[in-house]
């Protein structure tokens, strides 16, 4: 569901609820969920990617084309989970997504093989180069929140990601239960994704050559350190904005009742330790943007 703020009045379909429906310009019902990202092309055209489905708009997001697919120059599908689009130099655009290793067989192998890749297009998304892996091989699953990749004022592409580690499944490949309770002698989850069974931490990858080669931040993973020897908490699903040239602010999801933040003064190469923000939140992700006003 894509909403744009305006003063045009529209009726709310049954089963929906908004606090200020008089400001909705257009509502588009799709099957993409929240896994969606946008980039502005030439002459104000907008490209949207949701998983591996593409659409375009020529009127600022009011109406959209029929969904279509894209393949790279080798004929393989473009797109995946947690997509992020970004403008490159010239007419180029980039797309990052997470996906599984196609050679993984067991559920555990598939989960741990998740990694992030990057496609480049030099012609506004018409043709795509084969993907480049941008997160290093690891025994841990590596994924990302959607629509979080940025290009800073220096031209550097910055992509925050998170890793999962710990026991996700128990003996006999039984998935550990999430928060919930017994209802008529059957376990029912009451929190679903809002309580992850594994520990999560964050790091950043960046590129200075329009996504051809990638580097990882120099100070390793970010997580919450309460005490030097005993107290740790997870952070995940990070989002980044450039506050001033080279100075970046990262916002992270936590399970502590508020969002946490970290700062970088060297364009994403090193970061402060995550610290609490005054913004209360459930264990859900946030996205941060730099407005045109600064």
């Amino acid at each position: 569901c894509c909403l744009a703020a305006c003063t045009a009045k529209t009726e709310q379909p049954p089963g929906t609820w908004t606090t200020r429906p008089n400001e909705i310009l257009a509502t588009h019902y799709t099957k993409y969920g929240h896994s969606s990202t946008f980039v502005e092309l030439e002459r104000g055209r907008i490209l949207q990617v949701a998983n591996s489905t593409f659409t375009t708009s020529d009127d600022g997001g009011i109406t959209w084309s029929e969904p279509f697919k894209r393949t790279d120059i080798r004929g393989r599908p473009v797109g995946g989970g947690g997509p992020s689009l970004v403008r490159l130099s010239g007419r180029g655009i980039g797309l990052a997504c997470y996906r599984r290793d196609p050679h993984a067989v067991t559920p555990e192998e598939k989960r741990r093989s998740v990694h992030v890749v990057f496609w480049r297009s030099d012609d506004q998304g018409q043709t795509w180069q084969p993907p480049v892996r941008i997160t290093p091989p690891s025994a841990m699953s590596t994924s990302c929140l959607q629509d979080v990749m940025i290009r800073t004022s220096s031209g550097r592409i910055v992509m925050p990601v998170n890793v999962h580690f710990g026991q996700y499944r128990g003996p006999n490949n039984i998935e550990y239960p999430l928060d919930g309770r017994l209802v008529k002698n059957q376990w029912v989850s009451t929190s679903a994704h809002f309580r992850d069974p594994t520990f999560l931490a964050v790091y950043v990858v960046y590129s200075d050559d329009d996504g051809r080669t990638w580097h990882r931040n120099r100070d390793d993973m970010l997580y919450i350190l309460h005490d030097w020897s005993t107290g740790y908490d997870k952070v995940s699903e990070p989002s980044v904005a450039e506050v001033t040239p080279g100075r970046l602010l990262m916002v992270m999801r936590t399970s502590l009742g508020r969002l946490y933040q970290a700062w970088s003064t060297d364009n994403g190469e090193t970061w402060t330790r995550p610290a609490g923000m005054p913004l209360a939140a459930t264990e859900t992700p946030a996205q941060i943007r730099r407005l045109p006003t600064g």
Side-chain angles (χ1 to χ4, degrees):
C1 180
C2 310
L3 305 179
C6 189
T7 56
K9 177 133 178 112
T10 182
E11 295 297 326
Q12 294 188 81
T16 64
W17 180 83
T18 56
T19 56
R20 296 157 68 179
N22 61 306
E23 296 184 357
I24 296 175
L25 179 62
T27 306
H28 303 286
Y29 286 92
T30 72
K31 61 183 179 180
Y32 309 139
H34 60 71
S35 190
S36 185
T37 181
F38 303 82
V39 71
E40 186 176 6
L41 305 178
E42 295 172 338
R43 296 181 294 278
R45 198 176 198 213
I46 301 172
L47 174 66
Q48 181 229 15
V49 176
N51 294 313
S52 59
T53 300
F54 291 66
T55 55
T56 58
S57 175
D58 294 314
D59 55 12
I62 305 303
T63 60
W64 291 85
S65 70
E66 289 296 317
F68 58 92
K69 302 288 187 178
R70 283 283 185 257
T71 57
D72 64 26
I73 59 175
R74 295 177 180 171
R76 297 171 181 171
V78 174
S84 285
L85 283 164
V86 68
R87 293 189 67 164
L88 306 178
S89 58
R91 303 183 70 239
I93 59 173
L95 172 65
C97 299
Y98 66 82
R99 65 180 188 178
R100 292 184 174 91
D101 184 339
H103 302 295
V105 178
T106 68
E108 188 66 15
E109 288 175 343
K110 291 179 179 179
R111 186 181 73 85
R112 294 186 182 278
S113 73
V114 175
H115 60 282
V116 184
V117 297
F118 180 86
W119 291 265
R120 289 180 52 253
S121 171
D122 297 318
D123 55 8
Q124 300 278 282
Q126 296 300 311
T127 59
W128 295 85
Q129 297 299 314
V132 174
R133 181 170 182 153
I134 67 176
T135 55
S138 169
M140 299 176 288
S141 169
T142 306
S143 60
C144 49
L145 187 63
Q146 71 281 349
D147 208 30
V148 295
M149 183 166 52
I150 66 170
R151 190 171 189 237
T152 67
S153 56
S154 71
R156 173 172 289 180
I157 304 170
V158 176
M159 180 66 182
V161 301
N162 55 248
V163 295
H164 312 242
F165 52 96
Q167 292 175 283
Y168 195 83
R169 292 176 179 268
N172 301 317
N173 205 34
I174 297 175
E175 191 168 317
Y176 284 118
L178 301 173
D179 289 352
R181 63 182 61 235
L182 284 175
V183 177
K184 296 182 179 179
N185 207 33
Q186 185 171 357
W187 183 267
V188 177
S189 173
T190 57
S191 69
H193 179 54
F194 302 114
R195 288 290 184 271
D196 287 304
T198 55
F199 192 83
L200 298 104
V202 164
Y203 68 89
V204 166
V205 289
Y206 61 90
S207 172
D208 292 316
D209 56 7
D210 269 357
R212 293 175 176 83
T213 60
W214 292 81
H215 310 277
R216 181 171 165 172
N217 65 293
R218 292 188 281 112
D219 51 349
D220 209 4
M221 290 187 289
L222 283 68
Y223 51 87
I224 298 170
L225 176 64
H226 298 295
D227 180 85
W228 286 104
S229 59
T230 59
Y232 303 91
D233 262 295
K234 62 189 177 184
V235 291
S236 66
E237 295 185 325
S239 178
V240 175
E242 185 178 32
V243 178
T244 56
R247 188 166 186 253
L248 310 183
L249 171 61
M250 180 191 295
V251 175
M252 293 159 281
R253 166 189 164 193
T254 77
S255 57
L256 301 178
R258 66 186 56 253
L259 298 173
Y260 267 56
Q261 63 184 348
W263 290 86
S264 173
T265 58
D266 53 15
N267 218 7
E269 295 183 28
T270 60
W271 295 85
T272 62
R273 291 189 179 276
M277 301 180 74
L279 302 177
T282 60
E283 192 179 348
T284 48
Q287 286 176 303
I288 188 168
R289 292 286 191 277
R290 186 179 189 275
L291 301 180
T293 60

